[in-house]
Amino acid sequence: MNAATASTLSASGGGAGVPRHVAIIMDGNGRWAKARHLPRVAGHRKGAEAVRATIRAAGELGIEVLTLYAFSSENWRRPEEEVSDLKGLLRHYLLAELDELASNGIRLKVIGDYTRFGPELTRMLDDAIARTADNRSTTLVIALNYGSQDELVRAARALAEDARAGRIAPDAIDVAAIEARLDTADLPPPDLVIRTSGEHRLSNFLLWQAAYAELLFVDTLWPDFGRDDLFAAVADYGRRNRRFGGL
C-alpha cells in the first residue's frame, strides 16, 4: 500500500478510509533488547528510530493527529536507571529531531504532567511546543507521565470547582463539558488505537477518548514497527465499517 492507495481509500465509500487520528501504545522495547542480549536502553534507542519512521509515514498517509504513548504515570515504578535512560533519550530526541519536526510543519503537543521530568526537560518541551505551535501538517501528541484515570480525575475536580463557584450548573455537566477539560480538548478522538508486541489491553491510555475507536493489536515489537506496518494498519482500518452504535 502506498500514499496514493491511502488517498483512494479515504475517498471511497466502502470502508472507513484513512483515520484522522491514530494513537499507538508503543510496547516491546525491553523484549526486543532481551531477545538480542542487549541492555533495555538499546531497545528504547531502537524504538526512537521507529518513532521517526512512523511520524514520516503518518505524514505520507495524511493522518492529522498521531498520538504516541511514550511514558505512562505507572512507568515511574521502573528501575531508576531505566527512568534516567528514558529521560536522556527524550532530551536527545528533542535536540536531534526538533528541526525536522519544525521544517515538516509538524505541531508538537504533550499530554500528561510532564513537569515531573524536571526543569530542564520541562523547558525543552515548552520551547518545542511553542516553536511548532503554528504548524498545520500533522499534530504529534506525546503522552508523558500520562494516565487516563488521572486525567479523568483532574477533569472531575475541575468540574466540581466550576460547579462550586457557580460557573456551571451540575445538571449542565455533559459529555462536552468533560471533554473540554481533558488534555485532548483540542483534538479529534482517536479513530484507530494500535498496540504493538502482542499485548491486548489499553493500559490506562485514552480510556474516554477511545470509546468508539477501532482497536488493532499487532505482534510486532515496537522497535521493528515502521512505515509498512503503519500503512498495513491503516489498510486494515480502511476495510472496517464504523457504525457508532447504528446499523
Side-chain angles (χ1 to χ4, degrees), residues 33-47:
K34 184 178 180 180
R36 290 159 178 78
H37 307 287
L38 296 171
R40 288 178 64 87
V41 68
H44 295 311
R45 289 171 181 157
K46 184 67 174 177

Side-chain angles (χ1 to χ4, degrees), residues 2 11 27 40 44 47 66 68 74 145 158 164 174 214 220 234 247:
N2 55 32
D27 195 16
R40 288 178 64 87
H44 295 311
L66 176 67
L68 303 177
E74 291 76 31
N145 190 28
R164 182 169 64 178
D174 56 11
E214 297 293 318
T220 307
V234 168
L247 297 178

Side-chain angles (χ1 to χ4, degrees), residues 51 54 57 61 86 97 104 133 139 158 160 181 198 206 212:
V51 167
T54 302
L61 285 162
L86 287 167
E97 302 295 328
N104 289 332
T139 296
R181 289 158 179 81
L206 300 179
Y212 287 99

